[in-house]
Amino acid sequence: MDPTTLTLTTAVDDLQGVHPETAAALRRLGLRCVADLLLHAPSRYRRTHSWQSMSQMAEFADAQSGDDLEVRGEIVSVERGFGRGAKVEAVLEDDSGEVDLVFFNQPWIQRKLHPGLRISVVGRPRRYRSRIQIANPSWQRIDNDASLVAPACEDEHAKLTPVYPASDELSSDSIAEIILATLPDATALLDDHLTDEYRASRNLPTLARAYRLLHRPELEEHIDTARRRLALDELLMLQLGVMMKRFHRRTHLQAVSLPLTEDVQSRISARIPFTPTDAQSRVMNEIAADLAEEIPMNRLLQGDVGSGKTMVALAAMLQAVANGRQAALVAPTELLAEQHERTLREVLQHAPMRLELLTGSITGSARRSLVKDIGAGRVDIVVGTHAILTNDVVFRDLAVAVADEQHRFGVQQRATLRSKGSDQTHCPHQLVMTATPIPRTLSLTLFGDLDVSVIDEMPPGRLPVETVAVDRAGAAAAYADVAARAGRGERSFVVVPVIEESPTGLTDLESHLDRLATGPLRDCRIAAMHGRLDTTERERIMNLFREGSLDVLVATTVIEVGVDVPQATLIVIEDADRFGLAQLHQLRGRVGRGDRAGKCVLVAEPTTDEAHRRIEAMVETTDGFQIAERDLEIRGPGELFGARQSGVPPFRIAVIPRDLELLALARRDAEVWIEEDPLLTQPPHTLLRRRLLKAHGQWLGLGDVG
Ligand code: ADP
Ligand code: MG
């Protein structure tokens, strides 16, 4: 293709010199057009030094720089290696020494290499036992009479080679070649959405230069320069989007004001069955103040498992009801919805108001009449699952909507909830609750359109859950403990990762239950609890467990969130290394909710470093915020409390927490811009605005922002 007609949307199939098969392989990697190629960031850079002698190479290996280098020599032997899998070993030497080349899973190499052959090899040398080895090097023949004396080495720079995410059909080097070929023309097409002035003030390269440096750095510092610009771009866009959304909510959307009069206050207080902790009081005040405004509240309530969020939610809902409006509480599972309904019904026993449960299990005429009553305003508080969010459920005047356990709720659902208001211009005040403490910096990034309240104090008398990690053999003692506790009237959970026999060989729930029921727990009353049981059965089993007719529940993670049985004191988590840290912490929160201390036994034989660190973190702390920080450290924010489900597009370049400083900068700058030009409609922002809407318009629901 003539480079003058190249555009950013030119398909990879139309690029000069790209074979149709290669184009197809590119497309399978998600690289469809020129812009995709530019955006395809190297996952790392290989540092390659030019031709070195064997003795210099030995020094490199000992310095463990991780750099690659080239050596040249003559093959002196080739053998099939011992051990499992195809392995070919060759020895290469020059006048100054020798190196072992090891080729894994490339049996054909044995036919290509032979003693006397001269080759050039590029790879990373490392010391293995007392010898130097290069594993899976790339190599090529050189003339058999070529000199093997490396040129005297000046202390020159290593060459930086981008290593791209690649596939079996397309290597990083092939991708690099294609990207490099389009780079000059493609970057020449890039308009910058940041002004010269701004770039100068923040010492940022142009977008074009940033991409050139990203794909073709000559110096180490070029990589940083490129990354800094592109990471800041991503963070800035996200912050601007989120702030734009916030501005829109505060200026265009209206909520019903729910004043907290003395009368309302005392009616609410009368329903709260205990003295709130200081943290609960503070948070209740923050929420009450929001609800009195005509600006729709959009608040995230963070509080560790057992910190008492339910009562805070109740107070908020009562503020709506006392003002003659409706409220809803949406839970992520039926089990949780049912439990909330039970708790609230008990607390509201003698209150002159109507509370109803709406879940997927309520169908037919029962559902129809309930929906009708909700629409007519005959129901004051609706507790339920996402069934509340279906189209046919219309409230007469929903004023407060609470979503429990936010990490299961996407932005999409929150938007739906918002649209459940009485009319198009009014929307309910929203409270989103999560027990997965999110590091503050991160919650600002991901949920920047939310105000955040934190309950950082436990109700009095709560004892931390003792946590131990044991291997398979240690599980026996844990089950003996389960049996002993059953004898004392205490209850236990046993959690397994999956229900069915799976090819991964995880403990299967039913067979595990059989083993326990016929073995160590033969004297216990034991039952299975999982998501495949229908609601009535689940409800029946939960009730038996709650009232003490069952000693042990063998469960999947359906018990992860919210399940509240004060007499449960022990939780044994099988294959604990298979669970995420947040999930483990949630599970642990199921015990020690009464006045007796809880214990958590993690049965795990972790095989990866990450799994090790997760188990370690659990044993070391019961503080949810510390757990969250550790989680962030261990795996980055991508997976944190299901950021993906929440709809936030993943970053390509930025990495949190590494780029926290850039994030702070992005927040500061975004704030100033939005203050000056709330919807970014001023001329210098036109291109920025277009790109921002493209990146974040959909998940943030910025469509209505225009
Ligand atoms: P979570 O924040 O995990 O949803 P809950 O709201 O279920 O926690 O509360 C956990 C337990 O603590 C419940 O049994 C609740 O009744 C109790 N609780 C909550 N607040 C207080 C308080 N201020 N004083 C005493 N007990 C409380
Ligand atoms: Mg809860």
Side-chain angles (χ1 to χ4, degrees):
M1 164 170 254
D2 179 352
T4 55
T5 58
L6 187 90
T7 71
L8 292 172
T9 53
T10 299
V12 289
D13 311 67
D14 298 334
L15 291 174
Q16 211 165 35
V18 173
H19 193 271
E21 270 174 36
T22 309
L26 283 171
R27 270 188 271 111
R28 279 190 285 275
L29 275 169
L31 307 174
R32 290 175 198 84
C33 64
V34 170
D36 292 336
L37 291 175
L38 279 184
L39 291 170
H40 195 57
S43 49
R44 61 190 178 87
Y45 297 83
R46 220 172 33 227
R47 297 161 45 93
T48 309
H49 296 262
S50 58
W51 186 8
Q52 309 286 320
S53 70
M54 297 279 175
S55 59
Q56 284 164 323
M57 176 194 62
E59 284 169 31
F60 265 100
D62 292 332
Q64 292 187 318
S65 67
D67 293 2
D68 286 8
L69 52 74
E70 181 188 356
V71 285
R72 298 182 190 185
E74 185 173 311
I75 303 268
V76 289
S77 71
V78 183
E79 306 182 340
R80 194 53 204 279
F82 292 110
R84 264 196 295 167
K87 185 163 110 179
V88 176
E89 293 175 338
V91 177
L92 186 72
E93 69 170 28
D94 70 3
D95 289 342
S96 72
E98 58 181 37
V99 62
D100 295 337
L101 307 178
V102 190
F103 300 88
F104 295 99
N105 298 316
Q106 306 169 61
W108 62 88
I109 292 280
Q110 202 177 358
R111 275 174 277 120
K112 298 211 160 178
L113 299 182
H114 56 81
L117 185 72
R118 293 189 170 197
I119 61 174
S120 147
V121 163
V122 177
R124 183 202 305 181
R126 60 179 189 121
R127 202 167 271 282
Y128 182 67
R129 309 238 158 103
S130 61
R131 296 179 59 83
I132 307 289
Q133 184 185 78
I134 302 180
N136 288 336
S138 56
W139 63 277
Q140 63 185 47
R141 297 181 58 139
I142 49 179
D143 275 350
N144 256 3
D145 49 8
S147 159
L148 295 182
V149 181
C153 166
E154 304 285 310
D155 184 26
E156 33 78 52
H157 291 293
K159 194 171 139 238
L160 293 166
T161 319
V163 179
Y164 290 99
S167 63
D168 287 345
E169 5 170 54
L170 203 59
S171 70
S172 166
D173 286 346
S174 318
I175 297 171
E177 205 174 305
I178 297 164
I179 292 180
L180 280 187
T182 49
L183 198 60
D185 293 329
T187 50
L189 294 166
L190 287 176
D191 286 327
D192 207 319
H193 48 261
L194 299 180
T195 59
D196 297 348
E197 234 181 318
Y198 178 73
R199 281 200 319 270
S201 74
R202 293 284 173 251
N203 194 17
L204 298 166
T206 61
L207 200 53
R209 179 163 161 78
Y211 279 115
R212 281 196 293 271
L213 294 181
L214 182 75
H215 293 291
R216 206 180 47 202
E218 271 157 25
L219 304 172
E220 208 75 46
E221 66 215 52
H222 288 164
I223 302 172
D224 293 337
T225 307
R227 276 202 63 251
R228 187 163 168 277
R229 160 74 209 248
L230 299 173
L232 182 66
D233 258 20
E234 284 184 310
L235 297 167
L236 202 51
M237 291 273 187
L238 181 61
Q239 294 304 309
L240 285 168
V242 150
M243 285 178 193
M244 204 190 254
K245 178 78 187 170
R246 183 187 162 85
F247 173 85
H248 178 71
R249 173 169 59 85
R250 299 182 68 86
T251 51
H252 286 64
L253 299 178
Q254 269 216 320
V256 179
S257 152
L258 306 167
L260 186 69
T261 58
E262 235 163 77
D263 173 49
V264 169
Q265 171 80 73
S266 66
R267 277 160 69 192
I268 293 174
S269 302
R271 298 288 155 213
I272 304 287
F274 34 61
T275 316
T277 60
D278 289 348
Q280 279 171 319
S281 296
R282 189 189 67 238
V283 165
M284 284 183 193
N285 287 337
E286 285 167 1
I287 293 170
D290 279 3
L291 296 182
E293 300 279 332
E294 284 188 349
I295 299 167
M297 174 175 78
N298 206 20
R299 192 169 277 279
L300 177 70
L301 172 58
Q302 286 189 51
D304 211 345
V305 212
S307 61
K309 294 183 292 296
T310 316
M311 291 303 143
V312 175
L314 174 66
M317 294 195 289
L318 288 177
Q319 197 166 334
V321 177
N323 277 286
R325 309 280 173 165
Q326 291 171 296
L329 171 58
V330 187
T333 65
E334 295 206 358
L335 200 67
L336 256 185
E338 288 153 15
Q339 184 181 281
H340 276 317
E341 187 234 0
R342 197 174 316 101
T343 310
L344 297 182
R345 201 175 284 291
E346 213 174 286
V347 174
L348 298 175
Q349 247 178 53
H350 305 292
M353 66 183 75
R354 185 168 159 203
L355 169 83
E356 293 294 347
L357 178 70
L358 178 55
T359 64
S361 314
I362 295 162
T363 55
S365 61
R367 183 174 204 281
R368 275 196 300 279
S369 84
L370 179 54
V371 168
K372 208 167 132 215
D373 285 353
I374 293 172
R378 285 191 289 269
V379 180
D380 301 294
I381 297 181
V382 184
V383 177
T385 55
H386 56 274
I388 296 182
L389 304 177
T390 50
N391 279 333
D392 64 327
V393 182
V394 179
F395 287 78
R396 194 192 64 182
D397 48 21
L398 181 64
V400 170
V402 183
D404 195 12
E405 303 307 343
Q406 142 78 21
H407 61 295
R408 302 284 186 84
F409 276 104
V411 170
Q412 206 59 48
Q413 279 97 326
R414 283 200 272 136
T416 315
L417 203 52
R418 195 173 298 136
S419 71
K420 292 273 168 201
S422 43
D423 57 54
Q424 287 311 303
T425 50
H426 281 78
C427 66
H429 294 285
Q430 279 196 76
L431 180 66
V432 173
M433 308 198 289
T434 179
T436 310
I438 305 158
R440 186 163 172 80
T441 36
L442 199 61
S443 69
L444 289 174
T445 335
L446 300 181
F447 303 106
D449 62 331
L450 297 173
D451 296 310
V452 180
S453 290
V454 180
I455 307 184
D456 50 7
E457 177 186 6
M458 287 288 175
R462 207 59 67 72
L463 298 163
V465 178
E466 180 197 349
T467 305
V468 295
V470 301
D471 57 12
R472 279 250 65 78
Y479 288 117
D481 194 9
V482 171
R485 281 169 198 252
R488 303 197 294 266
E490 293 177 30
R491 279 151 241 170
S492 303
F493 295 105
V494 176
V495 179
V496 298
V498 285
I499 304 176
E500 284 151 319
E501 202 64 74
S502 76
T504 56
L506 296 178
T507 322
D508 151 68
L509 190 144
E510 294 293 343
S511 68
H512 190 59
L513 184 136
D514 278 351
R515 266 196 305 279
L516 294 176
T518 55
L521 304 186
R522 77 185 77 76
D523 296 326
C524 299
R525 294 161 303 169
I526 182 168
M529 167 66 83
H530 53 78
R532 303 283 169 87
L533 298 173
D534 67 35
T535 328
T536 38
E537 183 60 6
R538 230 159 48 199
E539 177 73 337
R540 193 182 68 83
I541 293 172
M542 245 358 257
N543 277 333
L544 291 175
F545 188 65
R546 196 174 282 116
E547 72 192 26
S549 307
L550 281 172
D551 305 308
V552 183
L553 282 188
V554 180
T556 58
T557 53
V558 290
I559 63 147
E560 179 187 337
V561 279
V563 169
D564 190 16
V565 179
Q567 297 81 5
T569 57
L570 175 60
I571 184 166
V572 180
I573 305 176
E574 288 280 343
D575 292 314
D577 50 321
R578 307 286 173 140
F579 295 93
L581 195 44
Q583 212 172 17
L584 289 173
H585 182 65
Q586 289 289 323
L587 287 168
R588 172 166 61 185
R590 296 311 107 219
V591 297
R593 297 171 75 84
D595 40 19
R596 271 173 288 193
K599 181 168 178 176
C600 170
V601 181
L602 306 168
V603 183
E605 296 186 346
T607 51
T608 65
D609 178 48
E610 277 194 20
H612 256 292
R613 290 166 65 191
R614 287 200 298 269
I615 301 290
E616 217 174 74
M618 282 292 291
V619 172
E620 279 170 17
T621 179
T622 54
D623 178 322
F625 277 92
Q626 280 190 35
I627 293 276
E629 296 285 356
R630 291 284 196 96
D631 203 23
L632 187 61
E633 266 168 42
I634 295 174
R635 54 177 186 168
E639 296 295 318
L640 197 75
F641 64 95
R644 198 166 298 151
Q645 286 102 291
S646 69
V648 186
F651 296 128
R652 288 169 183 275
I653 308 280
V655 178
I656 307 289
R658 184 178 70 189
D659 291 327
L660 277 182
E661 234 167 277
L662 279 181
L663 174 62
L665 179 64
R667 275 192 74 77
R668 276 203 306 276
D669 289 345
E671 223 155 20
V672 173
W673 291 3
I674 293 293
E675 193 144 302
E676 285 169 359
D677 181 12
L679 299 178
L680 299 178
T681 42
Q682 304 294 325
H685 294 144
T686 320
L687 183 57
L688 176 66
R689 174 190 163 85
R690 209 168 65 224
R691 290 195 177 147
L692 187 155
L693 289 179
K694 193 161 170 236
H696 300 297
Q698 198 167 15
W699 78 271
L700 273 176
L702 286 171
D704 47 348
V705 172

